Amino acid sequence: MAARILVVEDDADVASVVRAYLEREGYAVEVAHDGLAGLRAAQERTPALIVLDWMLPHLDGPSFLARLRRDAATPVIMLTARIEESDRVLGLELGADDYVAKPFSPRELVARVKAVLRRTSPPEGGAQETIEHAGLHIDPARRTVRVQGRPVALTALEFDLLHVLARTPGRVFSRTELLDAVWGEDFMGVDRVVDVHVSNLRHKLAAAGADGRLATVRGVGYKLEEEPS
């Protein structure tokens, strides 16, 4: 069955182009032209991925994302004409998985969609083994995380970051290594994206009772502590 992608974009011409390119790649595409309609569509039938414009009538992109993340980890790629890094970081802090700056190449957007869907698809060749470290349980096949038996809701990227770090606890990963492992070597964003997602992940783990498990090694990168600090 074709992966279903929800495009939330108020510019009819842009939405039409995005739909055409995605459908050409075999995806099933639904379009919503305002934020509230898009949020209803996402909540009624969860898509595999959402392409979300920043500036939308009735409910803008950041507000859409904040409300979506209350109960859904659906991957989101934001489209934004804003050039300030602070604006893009805000989208990432709210839970966007990636962003594409306007004006954009439809081919670039399709490549980003494919990359995100590859990350969030079940692993091929059989289920990967679960990982357990001092009360932290990670199930790659189900893409679930538990701390002392309690579920932790993570976005697709947060899960992938944690999974990479947890496979070799104690090892320090540089930002470049994490970008390559999680976003892919062809990622064209900035390494600040790693810091934002690690920060979000750290807060969620702390709230679930795993405070101190993600450590920052100044000037180098990040690691997962083998035991609670």
Side-chain angles (χ1 to χ4, degrees), residues 58-154:
H58 306 311
L59 186 71
D60 65 15
S63 300
F64 177 110
L65 194 50
R67 290 173 62 170
L68 179 76
R69 286 289 177 252
R70 292 175 189 171
D71 54 15
T74 309
V76 174
I77 296 177
M78 292 201 76
L79 300 178
T80 175
R82 293 174 177 260
I83 60 174
E84 294 296 330
E85 182 180 345
S86 59
D87 291 322
R88 298 181 186 184
V89 169
L90 172 61
L92 297 170
E93 289 175 339
L94 289 170
D97 295 85
D98 201 353
Y99 62 81
V100 174
K102 289 183 174 181
F104 62 90
S105 160
R107 290 187 178 86
E108 177 192 347
L109 177 59
V110 169
R112 300 286 187 96
V113 167
K114 288 181 176 180
V116 172
L117 290 177
R118 277 197 302 270
R119 288 198 303 265
T120 56
S121 297
E124 297 179 359
Q128 299 180 35
E129 292 185 1
T130 58
I131 298 173
E132 294 207 32
H133 292 300
L136 178 64
H137 178 96
I138 303 169
D139 186 339
R142 295 182 175 84
R143 296 184 65 84
T144 58
V145 174
R146 293 179 177 272
V147 173
Q148 304 297 344
R150 295 189 300 168
V152 183
L154 301 180

Side-chain angles (χ1 to χ4, degrees), residues 4-11 14-20 22 28-34 37-38 41 47 49-53 56 64 77 79 104 109 113:
R4 176 173 163 267
I5 297 176
L6 174 62
V7 177
V8 189
E9 167 63 66
D10 64 324
D11 186 312
V14 172
S16 178
V17 170
V18 172
R19 180 201 282 274
L22 291 173
V29 180
E30 179 179 355
V31 174
H33 293 292
D34 69 73
L49 181 143
I50 299 171
V51 176
L52 177 67
D53 189 26
L56 290 165
F64 177 110
I77 296 177
L79 300 178
F104 62 90
L109 177 59
V113 167

Side-chain angles (χ1 to χ4, degrees), residues 115 118-119 176-188:
R118 277 197 302 270
R119 288 198 303 265
T176 299
E177 287 175 318
L178 290 173
L179 279 172
D180 290 347
V182 177
W183 282 263
E185 295 181 1
D186 57 349
F187 179 68
M188 291 175 284

